[in-house]
Amino acid sequence: MLIIDCPYCGKRPELEFAYAGQAHLVRPRDPSTLDDEAWAQFLYMRANTRGMHAERWRHARGCGRFFNALRDTTSDRFAATYRIGTAPPVAAEDAR
Amino acid sequence: MSAWRTDSGGQIDRARSISFSFDGRIYPGFSGDTLASALLANGVHLVGRSFKYHRPRGILAAGAEEPNGLVTVIRDRARTTPNLRVTQVELYDGLVAISQNRWPSLANDFGRMNDLLSAFFPAGFYYKTFMWPRSAWKSLYEPIIRRAAGLGEAPTLPDPDRYAQRYAHCDVLIVGAGPAGLAAALAAADGGARVMLCDEQAEFGGSLLGSCGAKIDGHQASEWARQVSSELARNARVTLLPRTTAFGYFPHNLIGLNERLSEHLSVPRAGPARERLWQVRARRVVLATGSIERPLVFPGNDRPGVMLAGAAQTYLNRYGVRVGRRAALVTSNDSAYGVALDLKAAGVSIAAIADLRPNPVGHWVQAARASGIEVLVGSNVLGTRGDARVAGIHLVSGTYACDTVLMSGGFTPSVHLFSQSRGKLAWSEPMQAFIPGASAEAERSAGACRGIFDLVEALTDGYTAGSDALPDSATRRATPVDWTSRVSALPVDYAPYLGALPGADEPGRQKAFVDWQHDVTVKDLQLASREGFRSIEHVKRYTTTGMATDQGKTSNLNAMAIVARNIGVPLAQVGLTTFRMPYTPTTFGSFAGASRGDLFDPVRKTATHSWAQARGAVFENVGLWKRARYFPLAGEDMHGAVNRECAAVRAGCGVFDASTLGKIEVVGPGAAEFLNRLYINSWSSLAVGRSRYGILCREDGFIYDDGVIARIASDRFHVTTTTGGAPRVLSMMEDYRQTEWPELDVWLTSTTEQWAVIAVQGPNSRKVLAKIVTGIDLSDAAMPHMSVQNGLVCGVPTRLFRVSFSGELGFEVNVPADYGLAVWEAINAAGADLGMVAYGTESMHVMRAEKGYIIVGQDTDGTMTPDDAGLSWAIGKAKPDFVGKRSLARASMRSPSRKQLVGLRTLDPKVVLEEGAQVAERPGLKAPMPLLGHVTSSYFSAVLGSSIALAVVAGGRARLGQTLYVPMPDGDIAAAVTSPVFYDPTGARING
């Protein structure tokens, strides 16, 4: 069971969290301007990263907040967790 | 005393003589014995029949690696535990054990025929033979195979015992309390760390207890272990866990421990749990899991009496048991010499030491020869003789009579937990074994589990590991502990041997076993190689080597070496099969803990549960909720009850507990805009005091949830969701609120459990409520369909909804949950003279289907658009965007041939279709046939006097009036496609 560092609450066991998919996917402000191909890209296409992956988690059984994390998918190590709307910490991203 | 038990020595309590039974015979033993040592003390070697060939098998080992001695221990019919290793069962007075996989008895086993026919049972035999006919798989082959190749039988009664679970945190968790583990614990404890030390055995000490002849600080090694244990036990920051197996290593240093609290007791205490599962989160872990002696693979190596040399030493020194009268030893290294010398000193005659080394030298060889033991160098084993017990060994130099053959192929580091932690294993050529390489966790292996077998080195390594595991802030000793000066022991050359002994595979030789527990021989592995298997993982599955309950603890490396030789690649390239948890089998009870029976899952009950229960309601599970399904009168079945309940609602009035519906309070200046963006409907146009049926799609355009949403104030909405959908709808709302539209000032609060919701439905519902509601004008003009008002009911504040899921004039009374039961009773009383009935979910389902109202998840399946469900009228056409809108614009989402919700009326109105039944265009088609869709809801409608069904049918709305066919085993059922609204299509009754 992983230990995840909620940016609001601190380190908690994985049981309290829910995975919420790839991070930094922004819903288009006006989806009607996208053609089918672009919309399908947004809707369905996801990275299948081997290594450092930016992803979202929700502290579902804690503060309820969504946040972002950088996790190495090969080792399950978390390089960083950071708040929604902020960019991934550069140092951690370099840790690839 | 028996010829097998020594007169003194060992760590058994000779003052406490106890008795036990094995296969119905009573034997004596001592407190401190294991079942294995007690059996051996009575001269019993034959303890089981092998898995496949039913060959007689004896005790091979003294620890967790034991492959042969699996028994069932019986306390009573419910407390019957199969497949326990005799080496790990602590003896208690009155213990009852039976052998397994034999019939009619261990000595005369009918299955022994399999061994005589073994030429017909090579590796892969099952795969090759039991292929045809297919129909015989389940009915014939599987039952026969399961009976013939069996382990113990599970008890038939529920487990009456309690299993506890505990979480713990510590600075240093040390797994294994042998020399390295004890030294690590001393170092960590000296530094003031919070230490946990666990060991699978009852007593701490590991190899110090039996197989180590050394002295530490002038004491016998076992005595030193006891002193260190007492010292650690006095330290309040140290937790000692004997009888505790670290069975699994999970990410981020979470270790699973299984502690056995009462298995060793003659009469288990009533209070404590039988076992305790620990989930320990350790800052640092020291693995001191030791090593397992490697058996030698030679012809006839599986007869009872053939044993690991170190095991015989442990039985002698720890339990005071001579495993035989005359022993021959086969070895690749020095360790067996110490065993021979110990045995000889205890009165066991030594037939010979057959050393595989061409020219062994050193003090051990000299000491053996000096004591008169015949040492054969460059020796090899050609076979053994004997039946239920080995009687002699054929060596190249001749045949030696003996009743015991002891073997040692060196030691294999126990890297199971290290490998589970995802640490990288490294092949060590000198050790001919895999040892821990780079760690993946905050972990360090110490002692024999990383190939450090020498006692001084293991103690030093353990102490260093414990010291290194201390937090940075801890104080460390200024000078390192000098173990060399504290230990007196002779050095030992642990030269390993790997693979089969030369010639073990020659034609005409006896079977040479690699995996005792799964009956895998050298020839089986060769067959797999001949048949083209190259990957060790494939060889493993084809031959089943290493796949038994012992997970190949004694066999894996030998098997790999044999495969490597067969296919001609270096062993390091063959690779290692995956180590999986658990290290040793762990009970389901331990994992289940308290989560069983009523505590398996929480049960959610509504405020009226007790009322419904008292009236004999039949309940159904909806998610975790218990919902009253129907309220049968005496002698009434479900159909009778439902027909009566529905008729009463349609003629008078009924009351229904709708409290399980999810409820979310959406509040804030941005509330209307928030719902506009999420739901397909328009919300800014909804007036305060009015409500609307809302549909929520996912971004892919498919229906996710539905429910009535009321506007309580301009900035406050009362959102209802489906019963099962409440948590995921709230989560989806939170996702958009927090991550996509943080600019909207809106707050979400789950209020599902705060409100009791009592639906009052039927033409008389207004009259009923008029008696008890105050402060609200209930007239149709003041309170029309789809409106909401605040007021009082029986003096209790209420949000009163005018809403209907039955198709009748109806209301839903929302009151604080604590008042739910009182208001429910008051409504029932008020309706007593107006034909009031209580109805359950079944009648609710029938009445909503009569009106064509969908249930999300029953009539929709995650591929239905609002239009597919006939709900495109709900879409707020003027809205620029909502979740799912862009997807709904895709061409395929607007295709007229999509499956659409329709009604089906069987031509024979008495026939009720089966939900889930398929719908075909024409009758008489043979499968596989083109199908148009399926039936989603189907009931008998009492008010219509006919069956009704909802179905999703390709291009359904264009098929109105067509006859379609529902193919069933008894033939096709013809049904006409209709509107999904069967009852009161104009809605006159709702608006009444």
Side-chain angles (χ1 to χ4, degrees):
Chain A
M1 185 166 46
L2 310 176
I3 291 276
I4 300 174
D5 192 358
C6 170
Y8 304 95
C9 305
K11 290 182 178 177
R12 297 287 190 279
E14 185 186 341
L15 275 178
E16 296 183 10
F17 296 85
Y19 183 70
Q22 189 179 335
H24 306 299
L25 297 167
V26 181
R27 187 177 189 272
R29 274 283 142 177
D30 186 359
S32 69
T33 60
L34 273 62
D35 63 16
D36 280 357
E37 178 62 26
W39 180 247
Q41 278 291 331
F42 162 74
L43 198 55
Y44 296 117
M45 293 307 171
R46 296 293 180 268
N48 186 15
T49 308
R50 180 186 169 89
M52 204 59 76
H53 183 234
E55 60 196 20
R56 308 185 323 147
W57 287 81
R58 183 179 182 219
H59 196 184
R61 289 161 197 86
C63 64
R65 303 254 221 152
F66 286 83
F67 59 88
N68 295 325
L70 286 174
R71 180 180 59 97
D72 187 330
T73 59
T74 60
S75 69
D76 270 348
R77 291 270 148 216
F78 284 86
T81 54
Y82 52 102
R83 297 182 179 206
I84 289 290
T86 60
V90 177
E93 233 192 345
D94 288 346
R96 295 163 197 222
Chain B
M1 190 43 55
S2 82
W4 315 98
R5 185 79 78 173
T6 60
D7 294 333
S8 63
Q11 290 131 56
I12 44 170
D13 185 352
R14 290 176 191 262
R16 289 185 55 209
S17 184
I18 55 183
S19 68
F20 69 100
S21 90
F22 178 64
D23 276 350
R25 226 183 119 180
I26 309 286
Y27 296 99
F30 287 120
S31 179
D33 264 326
T34 62
L35 181 53
S37 69
L39 284 168
L40 292 169
N42 289 283
V44 178
H45 273 248
L46 175 64
V47 289
R49 289 277 169 177
S50 73
F51 188 71
K52 187 168 152 190
Y53 301 125
H54 287 249
R55 289 166 69 95
R57 287 285 167 78
I59 295 163
L60 185 83
E65 70 273 29
E66 172 60 37
N68 292 334
L70 298 184
V71 295
T72 299
V73 173
I74 302 167
R75 284 189 196 269
D76 55 46
R77 280 181 61 212
R79 294 178 178 87
T80 295
T81 315
N83 308 332
L84 292 175
R85 292 157 301 284
V86 286
T87 51
Q88 293 193 295
V89 175
E90 286 181 60
L91 203 68
Y92 55 79
D93 197 26
L95 181 140
V96 176
I98 56 169
S99 59
Q100 302 178 165
N101 199 31
R102 79 286 185 267
W103 183 84
S105 75
L106 191 53
N108 295 302
D109 173 36
F110 185 74
R112 185 77 204 266
M113 292 294 286
N114 284 4
D115 194 25
L116 304 176
L117 300 171
S118 65
F120 303 103
F121 296 108
F125 164 72
Y126 299 137
Y127 306 132
K128 291 167 181 162
T129 309
F130 297 112
M131 296 286 285
W132 298 279
R134 191 188 171 100
S135 58
W137 285 356
K138 271 256 175 286
S139 58
L140 185 61
Y141 296 150
E142 187 180 322
I144 288 175
I145 294 169
R146 288 218 182 277
R147 203 164 43 240
L151 292 168
E153 284 179 27
T156 49
L157 295 179
D159 189 335
D161 290 318
R162 206 167 66 77
Y163 293 79
Q165 297 185 334
R166 191 177 286 184
Y167 294 87
H169 295 259
C170 63
D171 293 321
V172 189
L173 170 68
I174 299 156
V175 180
L182 286 174
L186 281 174
D190 280 353
R194 284 180 307 150
V195 177
M196 295 180 80
L197 173 62
C198 70
D199 193 284
E200 63 187 0
Q201 300 200 40
E203 209 175 333
F204 284 179
S207 62
L208 301 176
L209 297 176
S211 56
C212 172
K215 290 195 167 180
I216 310 175
D217 294 342
H219 300 288
Q220 288 290 340
S222 57
E223 177 54 28
W224 181 83
R226 234 182 314 276
Q227 287 175 10
V228 170
S229 303
S230 328
E231 184 190 328
L232 290 167
R234 285 192 296 273
N235 186 329
R237 294 175 70 75
V238 176
T239 305
L240 299 183
L241 295 168
R243 300 188 176 94
T244 301
T245 302
F247 63 83
Y249 201 130
F250 305 95
H252 297 190
N253 264 7
L254 181 76
I255 317 294
L257 309 179
N258 172 253
E259 182 183 14
R260 293 165 295 281
L261 296 161
S262 65
E263 294 301 286
H264 60 293
L265 299 174
S266 184
V267 181
R269 293 181 296 260
R274 181 169 173 179
E275 297 179 13
R276 180 182 290 134
L277 179 83
W278 291 78
Q279 294 179 66
V280 180
R281 188 77 72 169
R283 251 184 13 84
R284 300 197 64 88
V285 172
V286 175
L287 295 177
T289 48
S291 61
I292 290 171
E293 191 160 18
R294 199 178 290 167
L296 293 169
V297 179
F298 56 80
N301 65 348
D302 76 323
R303 292 190 204 285
V306 179
M307 189 183 273
L308 293 169
Q313 194 174 31
T314 295
Y315 287 119
L316 178 67
N317 294 337
R318 182 167 174 186
Y319 302 104
V321 175
R322 291 182 281 255
V323 295
R325 292 188 172 90
R326 183 172 172 79
L329 292 94
V330 189
T331 186
S332 67
N333 66 85
D334 285 354
S335 69
Y337 287 78
V339 180
L341 290 166
D342 281 2
L343 289 173
K344 189 163 196 308
V348 177
S349 72
I350 304 299
I353 297 177
D355 199 319
L356 304 176
R357 295 174 291 187
N359 187 26
V361 290
H363 54 260
W364 290 105
V365 181
Q366 288 166 16
R369 288 201 166 117
S371 74
I373 295 174
E374 183 180 0
V375 176
L376 307 165
V377 301
S379 186
N380 192 12
V381 186
L382 306 178
T384 62
R385 60 188 178 85
D387 183 26
R389 174 94 192 236
V390 68
I393 183 165
H394 306 299
L395 300 171
V396 281
S397 48
T399 296
Y400 293 74
C402 59
D403 64 357
T404 306
V405 171
L406 303 177
M407 54 187 171
S408 176
F411 291 81
T412 305
S414 292
V415 295
H416 306 73
L417 290 175
F418 172 80
S419 174
Q420 284 182 32
S421 80
R422 295 192 184 183
K424 280 236 179 305
L425 290 167
W427 174 251
S428 162
E429 195 60 35
M431 262 174 270
Q432 292 284 294
F434 286 97
I435 57 170
S439 290
E441 296 282 356
E443 164 278 339
R444 152 90 141 86
S445 296
C449 69
R450 62 185 284 242
I452 297 178
F453 301 126
D454 178 78
L455 181 59
V456 171
E457 289 177 32
L459 288 163
T460 307
D461 192 41
Y463 199 90
T464 308
S467 185
D468 289 350
L470 286 170
D472 294 337
S473 56
T475 49
R476 288 173 173 75
R477 293 173 79 98
T479 52
V481 180
D482 175 20
W483 291 98
T484 315
S485 64
R486 296 172 62 178
V487 174
S488 69
L490 291 171
V492 178
D493 176 4
Y494 290 97
Y497 191 90
L498 194 53
L501 262 52
D505 54 343
E506 277 177 17
R509 293 271 170 90
Q510 297 158 343
K511 287 191 182 73
F513 282 86
V514 180
D515 182 336
W516 275 254
Q517 195 170 111
H518 255 176
D519 266 357
V520 181
T521 64
V522 176
K523 284 178 183 161
D524 291 325
L525 294 171
Q526 285 173 337
L527 179 71
S529 300
R530 267 208 311 280
E531 295 190 351
F533 291 93
R534 288 293 176 274
S535 158
I536 188 70
E537 294 285 356
H538 291 161
V539 172
K540 173 178 166 177
R541 281 156 185 78
Y542 191 61
T543 63
T544 73
T545 190
M547 290 181 71
T549 65
D550 67 351
Q551 296 260 298
K553 287 186 177 65
T554 50
S555 63
N556 275 346
L557 273 186
N558 278 333
M560 287 174 54
I562 292 165
V563 170
R565 186 164 161 252
N566 289 342
I567 62 177
V569 300
L571 195 141
Q573 277 176 36
V574 170
L576 200 54
T577 55
T578 313
F579 286 94
R580 295 196 172 87
M581 81 111 193
Y583 175 68
T584 46
T586 307
T587 62
F588 283 117
S590 173
F591 290 113
S595 302
R596 43 190 285 200
D598 289 343
L599 297 180
F600 181 69
D601 238 359
V603 173
R604 302 176 82 180
K605 294 174 183 170
T606 68
T608 66
H609 187 88
S610 59
W611 188 95
Q613 209 164 25
R615 276 150 192 82
V618 175
F619 289 88
E620 67 170 337
N621 296 323
V622 181
L624 297 176
W625 289 102
K626 293 280 178 199
R627 299 195 75 179
R629 192 172 182 196
Y630 55 97
F631 292 83
L633 300 178
E636 217 174 31
D637 64 2
M638 184 175 86
H639 292 290
V642 168
N643 288 346
R644 175 181 51 77
E645 288 170 13
C646 291
V649 173
R650 300 240 181 261
C653 59
V655 62
F656 169 73
D657 188 340
S659 303
T660 65
L661 283 184
K663 293 169 279 289
I664 301 167
E665 196 89 341
V666 179
V667 184
E673 174 60 16
F674 180 71
L675 292 176
N676 261 344
R677 294 186 191 181
L678 269 179
Y679 279 74
I680 70 169
N681 321 64
S682 170
W683 300 100
S684 30
S685 61
L686 184 68
V688 172
R690 301 304 301 260
S691 67
R692 188 166 278 169
Y693 170 63
I695 296 164
L696 180 66
C697 287
R698 295 181 309 211
E699 205 68 88
D700 61 12
F702 298 122
I703 295 175
Y704 192 55
D705 203 77
D706 69 348
V708 169
I709 300 178
R711 193 164 200 172
I712 304 299
S714 66
D715 62 351
R716 178 177 294 266
F717 289 83
H718 178 122
V719 175
T720 66
T721 74
T722 58
T723 295
R728 61 173 181 258
V729 170
L730 182 61
S731 184
M732 175 175 168
M733 285 184 172
E734 281 291 350
D735 194 349
Y736 281 91
R737 185 188 73 81
Q738 293 180 32
T739 70
E740 294 293 352
W741 310 316
E743 73 278 8
L744 291 181
D745 193 358
V746 59
W747 292 90
L748 311 171
T749 308
S750 166
T751 55
T752 303
E753 303 213 328
Q754 275 61 46
W755 294 109
V757 184
I758 304 162
V760 186
Q761 304 277 305
N764 289 341
S765 56
R766 184 184 285 122
K767 286 181 209 156
V768 172
L769 289 180
K771 295 183 182 179
I772 50 177
V773 168
T774 50
I776 302 174
D777 180 352
L778 294 173
S779 70
D780 192 53
M783 191 165 188
H785 183 52
M786 301 306 273
S787 62
V788 60
Q789 299 269 351
N790 289 311
L792 297 174
V793 55
C794 314
V796 175
T798 180
R799 267 183 198 170
L800 182 65
F801 284 65
R802 168 95 186 264
V803 68
S804 174
F805 201 44
S806 64
E808 301 296 333
L809 167 69
F811 297 85
E812 286 184 4
V813 182
N814 285 253
V815 290
D818 285 351
Y819 294 102
L821 181 57
V823 172
W824 171 272
E825 286 176 333
I827 289 171
N828 273 279
D833 57 347
L834 292 163
M836 175 73 80
V837 295
Y839 66 97
T841 52
E842 193 63 26
S843 293
M844 177 270 282
H845 276 131
V846 173
M847 287 188 281
R848 66 91 202 174
E850 288 168 346
K851 287 291 292 178
Y853 297 148
I854 62 163
I855 290 191
V856 170
Q858 175 167 346
D859 301 296
T860 70
D861 62 0
T863 65
M864 293 270 288
T865 68
D867 185 61
D868 295 341
L871 299 170
S872 52
W873 55 265
I875 295 174
K877 307 286 187 299
K879 293 201 295 182
D881 187 22
F882 57 81
V883 171
K885 183 178 170 78
R886 177 62 187 83
S887 291
L888 292 173
R890 293 171 59 218
S892 62
M893 302 291 262
R894 293 174 295 157
S895 161
S897 61
R898 291 185 61 83
K899 287 181 184 172
Q900 295 165 335
L901 186 78
V902 294
L904 286 183
R905 297 288 287 266
T906 49
L907 300 194
D908 177 352
K910 287 192 288 296
V911 173
V912 180
L913 294 172
E914 268 189 38
E915 290 177 356
Q918 299 293 315
V919 178
E921 188 148 34
R922 285 177 288 122
L925 295 173
K926 288 267 173 288
M929 62 183 89
L931 295 166
L932 299 176
H934 68 277
V935 177
T936 59
S937 294
S938 182
Y939 310 94
F940 186 80
S941 162
V943 72
L944 298 171
S946 135
S947 78
I948 56 167
L950 298 175
V952 291
V953 173
R957 286 199 290 271
R959 294 178 186 271
L960 286 184
Q962 280 185 18
T963 299
L964 298 177
Y965 298 87
V966 177
M968 297 300 289
D970 301 338
D972 298 301
I973 301 171
V977 178
T978 68
S979 153
V981 185
F982 301 98
Y983 181 71
D984 188 27
T986 61
R989 301 182 67 87
I990 283 185
N991 293 307

